Amino acid sequence: MKLGIVGLPNVGKSTLFNSLTKAGAESANYPFCTIDPNIGIVPVPDERLKLLGDMYHSKKVTPAVVEFVDIAGLVKGASKGEGLGNQFLSNIREVDAIVHVVRCFEDSNVIHVDGSVNPMRDIETINLELIFSDLEILERRISKVAKGARMDKTLGKELALLERIKDHLEGGRMAKSLVVEDEEELELLKSYHLLTYKPVIYAANVSEDDLADDGASNPGVEAIRAFAATEKSEVFVICAQIEQEIAELEDDEKAMFLEDLGLRESGLEKLIKASYRLLGLMSFLTAGEDETRAWTIRQGTKAPQAAGKIHSDFERGFIKAEVVNYKDLLAQGSLAAAREKGLVGMEGKDYVVKDGDVILFRFNV
């Protein structure tokens, strides 16, 4: 999973990236501090892995990972080359989802590129730049398809769709809110890799005072939540400065620090849960003496395709999957004991894998 962290300059984007990845991207109080996208690979926190790894005395415990890309601050006019312009926009096309950091805190020591803190204005600024960038892509595509449609009448349907998307965007709306007529149109829409079609998670960056009630008393956060609900986006509340402090602590100290702040989980945990929900992802597990590991798949994946995540041979030669829920396995203490209790299922090709399944694949190539 690849997530692009975006936002206007000085909204706390690089501070958040640093705390999530401990990658040490330069973070300073001036625009365009981040010029090349910084990339960090972060393990997905998953307590199930540690428990299973301890039970099996695994030599290696391998979590699922998320790749974060910190992309240069965007300003009004970026799609026309202002600021770092199209460099930003080309980097963002490669991500699975956008994490849009929005400033919801006042601080006279941290300048705002537009002179005042206004979360909804900031969201509109970035969304308009994404729309302008997509319109350029669409115009090139329309020109190409229109020429082809003179010779090939089957391209007429695509041309009509492109014109509809263009009108939709020119109305200030994102491509993901366009209503498509059938599966064919949906596949075409996906194939254009439009920025305004990507799923979005809003990270409302608040002061420490607003963290305890999850931003409920912050009008900016409430406005973001109301807006996100209209476009089926996710929102999570974070204090990037606090996250940076958490990132420097050991695991046991982190738990105490979070407890003192009245928080149940860190910003990283909130973000990953939001990403998994938004993208329809989950994890199944494999466990043994050599390695205990989490594998990320889409919800609704069947057993052979899940096996293919491990190795293509597993999918090609799939016979059966031995499946047990991780809680049942931990409670029984071994796979053999779980089998004796009838808690292990022998599943075939139509089995839909569930979150937290521990699976042993049987295959023959």
Side-chain angles (χ1 to χ4, degrees):
M1 179 164 64
K2 193 171 185 179
L3 302 175
I5 302 180
V6 305
L8 290 168
N10 299 341
V11 297
K13 185 173 56 67
S14 292
T15 305
L16 175 60
F17 173 81
N18 289 350
S19 61
L20 294 177
T21 64
K22 299 184 188 171
E26 188 187 355
S27 170
N29 181 21
Y30 56 90
F32 310 128
C33 167
T34 312
I35 294 174
D36 293 313
N38 292 283
I39 295 173
I41 306 289
V42 181
V44 173
D46 192 339
E47 62 178 7
R48 302 173 299 189
L49 284 180
K50 184 184 183 313
L51 296 170
L52 288 167
D54 289 348
M55 188 183 96
Y56 277 99
H57 306 292
S58 303
K59 293 172 194 163
K60 195 165 135 190
V61 174
T62 309
V65 294
V66 178
E67 185 175 326
F68 286 106
V69 186
D70 178 26
I71 296 166
L74 187 58
V75 290
K76 205 172 283 184
S79 58
K80 303 291 179 215
E82 289 295 321
L84 294 165
N86 292 321
Q87 191 174 328
F88 160 90
L89 297 163
S90 63
N91 289 329
I92 201 178
R93 285 196 191 278
E94 298 160 16
V95 302
D96 298 310
I98 295 168
V99 179
H100 183 166
V101 183
V102 188
R103 179 171 166 178
C104 299
F105 65 90
E106 296 283 352
D107 185 340
S108 57
N109 296 317
V110 181
I111 54 172
H112 189 291
V113 73
D114 285 331
S116 62
V117 175
N118 183 331
M120 292 314 301
R121 179 200 58 209
D122 293 356
I123 287 173
E124 190 179 335
T125 297
I126 285 198
N127 283 353
L128 279 173
E129 292 311 316
L130 302 184
I131 285 170
F132 291 145
S133 180
D134 280 352
L135 282 169
E136 272 186 47
I137 297 266
L138 284 171
E139 276 159 14
R140 287 200 294 270
R141 183 74 190 165
I142 286 169
S143 172
K144 187 178 174 184
V145 172
K147 281 178 193 166
R150 292 180 204 138
M151 309 293 291
D152 181 355
K153 297 299 177 195
T154 61
L155 290 174
K157 185 174 180 181
E158 182 180 0
L159 186 58
L161 173 64
L162 286 163
E163 294 286 5
R164 262 176 47 228
I165 301 169
K166 183 170 176 277
D167 288 346
H168 190 77
L169 294 182
E170 284 174 343
R173 291 161 296 181
M174 308 295 267
K176 61 188 167 194
S177 66
L178 181 78
V179 177
V180 292
E181 291 174 0
D182 53 34
E183 197 64 35
E184 187 186 343
E185 281 197 348
L186 180 62
E187 290 309 310
L188 278 170
L189 178 55
K190 286 179 184 173
S191 73
Y192 304 139
H193 301 294
L194 299 174
L195 300 175
T196 56
Y197 191 70
K198 288 189 183 293
V200 176
I201 304 159
Y202 293 101
N205 188 12
V206 301
S207 66
E208 184 182 337
D209 293 343
D210 286 337
L211 206 52
D213 69 353
D214 205 34
S217 54
N218 184 310
V221 175
E222 289 307 290
I224 294 170
R225 282 188 171 129
F227 175 73
T230 66
E231 57 171 35
K232 295 185 173 67
S233 294
E234 289 277 344
V235 181
F236 76 105
V237 173
I238 198 163
C239 174
Q241 211 59 52
I242 291 289
E243 287 302 313
Q244 198 159 35
E245 290 176 38
I246 292 171
E248 287 158 14
L249 300 174
E250 296 300 323
D251 284 350
D252 53 343
E253 292 175 314
K254 274 182 196 174
M256 286 168 61
F257 187 68
L258 287 168
E259 199 177 317
D260 288 346
L261 290 168
L263 302 175
R264 288 194 307 276
E265 55 192 355
S266 70
L268 175 62
E269 288 166 314
K270 283 187 191 175
L271 173 52
I272 287 174
K273 282 180 183 173
S275 314
Y276 270 57
R277 278 195 305 270
L278 190 67
L279 296 171
L281 301 175
M282 63 178 204
S283 295
F284 76 90
L285 313 161
T286 52
E289 280 183 30
D290 286 335
E291 183 181 37
T292 290
R293 182 164 180 166
W295 305 86
T296 301
I297 55 171
R298 291 202 175 275
Q299 290 169 12
T301 300
K302 292 187 176 177
Q305 288 70 50
K309 284 289 286 186
I310 300 172
H311 198 287
S312 56
D313 284 352
F314 282 32
E315 183 173 358
R316 200 154 45 92
F318 179 88
I319 300 170
K320 287 281 179 189
E322 261 190 286
V323 182
V324 58
N325 179 270
Y326 82 98
K327 286 181 182 171
D328 290 335
L329 180 56
L330 288 167
Q332 299 307 316
S334 73
L335 188 61
R339 275 197 201 105
E340 278 178 30
K341 288 277 176 74
L343 297 169
V344 180
M346 288 297 283
E347 306 292 352
K349 291 183 176 180
D350 291 328
Y351 177 73
V352 177
V353 176
K354 298 183 188 69
D355 187 53
D357 277 350
V358 181
I359 306 180
L360 179 63
F361 291 106
R362 305 286 183 198
F363 71 102
N364 183 29
V365 178

